[in-house]
Amino acid sequence: MSSKKSNYIPLKELDIYVLSRRLSALAWIIYQRLDYQLRKTWGNQMISSMDSVGANIAEGYARFHFLERIRFYYISRASLSESVEHWIDLGFERKIVTEEECKEIKTVSKELQIKLNHQIKIAYDAKDKDLSK
């Protein structure tokens, strides 16, 4: 038997996934207090784009091929931008999202974006290392 330690991190322990779930939880708090009209016009799109961040991280993390993994991380990063830079900002402008909620979401989002960029770099480095063998 090999005593080599595995580098595998379960999805639910992966920093970028944990942060994405935190954003989804914050978005859900906002969504739950919306009336029917606001859910229909703004809330459904906001929550869908926010949940897409974690969904794409999960799908990318499960992919074996480096380029597929990277592609899903890029999609996740784009969903993050859509969620925060568009929907949350728009919600703040329209007084749907409080200043405190906006600040907290932006803080978590910034940390996630940095870690997601790092995860993309790790995937590229692993691809390059694999190709040099």
Side-chain angles (χ1 to χ4, degrees):
M1 286 213 173
S2 173
S3 64
K4 188 175 178 180
K5 185 177 177 186
S6 171
N7 290 333
Y8 179 75
I9 300 168
L11 177 65
K12 290 188 181 227
E13 295 175 19
L14 188 67
D15 284 347
I16 57 174
Y17 185 71
V18 170
L19 289 168
S20 74
R21 292 291 298 262
R22 177 73 184 131
L23 285 175
S24 285
L26 293 168
W28 188 250
I29 291 167
I30 295 165
Y31 183 83
Q32 286 184 304
R33 71 168 178 259
L34 301 178
D35 64 26
Y36 174 78
Q37 188 63 31
L38 270 176
R39 282 185 182 192
K40 190 172 129 187
T41 58
W42 177 84
N44 289 342
Q45 293 184 81
M46 180 276 297
I47 200 74
S48 178
S49 68
M50 195 69 83
D51 287 348
S52 175
V53 176
N56 281 290
I57 289 169
E59 188 159 357
Y61 194 62
R63 297 292 176 135
F64 177 75
H65 194 273
F66 300 109
L67 294 178
E68 281 188 321
R69 182 173 292 179
I70 291 164
R71 181 174 152 263
F72 280 98
Y73 291 162
Y74 278 139
I75 293 168
S76 179
R77 193 171 67 181
S79 291
L80 179 63
S81 179
E82 175 192 358
S83 301
V84 177
E85 302 306 322
H86 179 71
W87 293 114
I88 296 300
D89 276 354
L90 195 60
F92 180 68
E93 284 175 19
R94 294 177 180 175
K95 301 191 183 344
I96 301 167
V97 177
T98 68
E99 185 174 353
E100 182 181 296
E101 290 168 329
C102 191
K103 283 180 182 177
E104 185 173 4
I105 287 169
K106 291 207 176 210
T107 299
V108 175
S109 170
K110 184 174 182 172
E111 184 180 356
L112 174 54
Q113 186 167 18
I114 290 167
K115 289 182 182 246
L116 192 51
N117 286 338
H118 182 68
Q119 196 73 30
I120 291 167
K121 182 183 180 323
I122 288 170
Y124 270 119
D125 290 349
K127 176 184 83 65
D128 292 342
K129 183 179 175 185
D130 189 56
L131 291 176
S132 68
K133 285 183 181 180

